[in-house]
Amino acid sequence: MGKRERPRRRAAAAAGVTLAVTVLAACGGGGSSGAKPSGTWAEPSRAASGRPSRPAFDPPVRFDGPTVELTDAQQPSTTSGEALRPALTLADGVAYITTEGGLEAIDTGTGDARWNVETKHPADPGGFGSKRVAPWVSADGRTAYAAFGREVEGEGTAPDRSVIEVLAVETATGRTAWSAEIPSAPSSTGLAAVAIGADENLAPQVVGVDAGTAVVTEADTTYAVDPATGAVRWKKADFRALTFADGVVAGGEETGYAEGRLLGVAADTGRQRWTEPDVRQPDSVGVRWLSGNLDDRTVVVDAVSGSTRASFEGRDWRCLDDERSLMECSKYGYRAADRGIVVFDATSAQQKWVLHARSGRVIPKVTGFWHGALYGEVGEEPVVLDGNTGKDRQTSAGAAPYEIDRYGGVEGTSFHRATR
């Protein structure tokens, strides 16, 4: 996906939903590297590779189940507030999970563990457990990455210290490709880190990796790490990176109390490449874009160039891409008049279709988007819409997943097998 700025305006007639789009340019993805083994690993199960040994659909539109429970992905219990997204990423028949103790791969066909890699330093066993972020899996599927907050007990006169432990694990073997231990050094300004998080989960996270840089965040600080040595190349306080593409690290920066901006910096130096000072807080994030509020509008910004890709009347639209050629932005308020879905071509920004309060149809609550299929719920009934046309594709889908691959989808912490 990508974008270059060329204004166009289109209307989504209802409930004051208006779409103003910009024309985009093409975009690509990043990879992974590393060569310093450490940690522990378990012998993977002897699952066959190559041709799929179970039914596969691209995209799936009907699900059975649940067939596998992924309980290690469950976030810690809380007494109030909305539950955090489970800490898992689904990729080609495997669920990669950031567990309390390390990184785990579960075969979603059998429910068996392929491998489990523990961190060098153990997790804090007290309380409700730690908040965790889903692993980042490289575009080629060969490496899974995760970051963990750890407390290291001092010895002798050496004080206790806080570190961010990073694991990079080969998905095929479970071997540690490289690891790093970063001194945790959050900002000392006292600014509110929660204001720069797209999902309010400020746990350690690997945002992305290319041949020379791994981008890691914790709370309100971003670190650029050399995968070959584990050394921190640069760090930036009061800045939480949310995406990394084409050498640009983009996210939200706090500039003062209750003040901020979107910012893109060069991955090799940390120097500013672009800024959007009027969009304070990212609401949703993709591989190459960020969305956030600008006055009474929602804007989608190119994470590489900083240019505006799309603009919608109303705040708090949430956006997803289908990992191919489409992007959707949806809003699901308490009133029917506050709901809508807009889908457009991720390269050209040309609008494909709009579903709004005057469409004469019930607007689903969107949960996921993958390879041209839009997943969601109407009431308590899971449905699938055609991402290119907006028409109903499956009116009784069996599940409304947020993570999807050709073998099925994950709803909550349950994997549902695809049957169609």
Side-chain angles (χ1 to χ4, degrees), residues 226-227 275:
D226 184 342
T275 183

Side-chain angles (χ1 to χ4, degrees), residues 96-130:
Y96 299 97
I97 300 173
T98 309
T99 68
E100 292 283 357
L103 189 56
E104 180 179 58
I106 301 294
D107 188 315
T108 57
T110 64
D112 296 333
R114 288 196 170 190
W115 47 258
N116 178 43
V117 179
E118 298 178 354
T119 56
K120 176 182 177 182
H121 304 290
D124 183 354
F128 294 110
S130 60

Side-chain angles (χ1 to χ4, degrees), residues 326-398:
L326 300 174
M327 178 177 287
E328 71 83 29
C329 293
S330 62
K331 188 173 183 180
Y332 195 83
Y334 178 77
R335 303 181 307 158
D338 294 329
R339 302 171 187 172
I341 300 174
V342 180
V343 173
F344 53 95
D345 184 280
T347 301
S348 68
Q350 182 176 2
Q351 180 183 310
K352 304 285 287 187
W353 55 272
V354 177
L355 187 59
H356 50 69
R358 297 180 186 174
S359 301
R361 298 169 63 192
V362 180
I363 299 172
K365 181 179 181 180
V366 174
T367 59
F369 197 23
W370 194 72
H371 290 196
L374 189 65
Y375 305 87
E377 296 176 307
V378 173
E380 296 183 357
E381 182 62 52
V383 298
V384 182
L385 305 187
D386 187 300
N388 285 287
T389 66
K391 294 181 179 179
D392 289 353
R393 187 165 176 177
Q394 178 59 247
T395 58
S396 183

Side-chain angles (χ1 to χ4, degrees), residues 49-84:
S49 59
R51 292 186 178 181
S53 58
R54 48 182 165 139
F57 306 89
D58 190 6
V61 296
R62 184 72 176 84
F63 305 90
D64 268 354
T67 56
V68 176
E69 292 296 334
L70 304 166
T71 54
D72 285 348
Q74 182 65 51
Q75 293 281 15
S77 301
T78 55
T79 57
S80 63
E82 186 176 354
L84 294 173

Side-chain angles (χ1 to χ4, degrees), residues 164-177:
I164 305 166
E165 194 170 339
V166 183
L167 285 179
V169 180
E170 297 173 358
T171 57
T173 66
R175 294 183 182 274
T176 302

Side-chain angles (χ1 to χ4, degrees), residues 147 164 203-207 215-219 221-223 239-242:
I164 305 166
Q205 176 181 9
V206 176
V207 175
V215 178
V216 181
T217 64
E218 182 187 37
T221 302
T222 294
Y223 307 82
F239 172 64
R240 183 169 178 84
L242 295 170

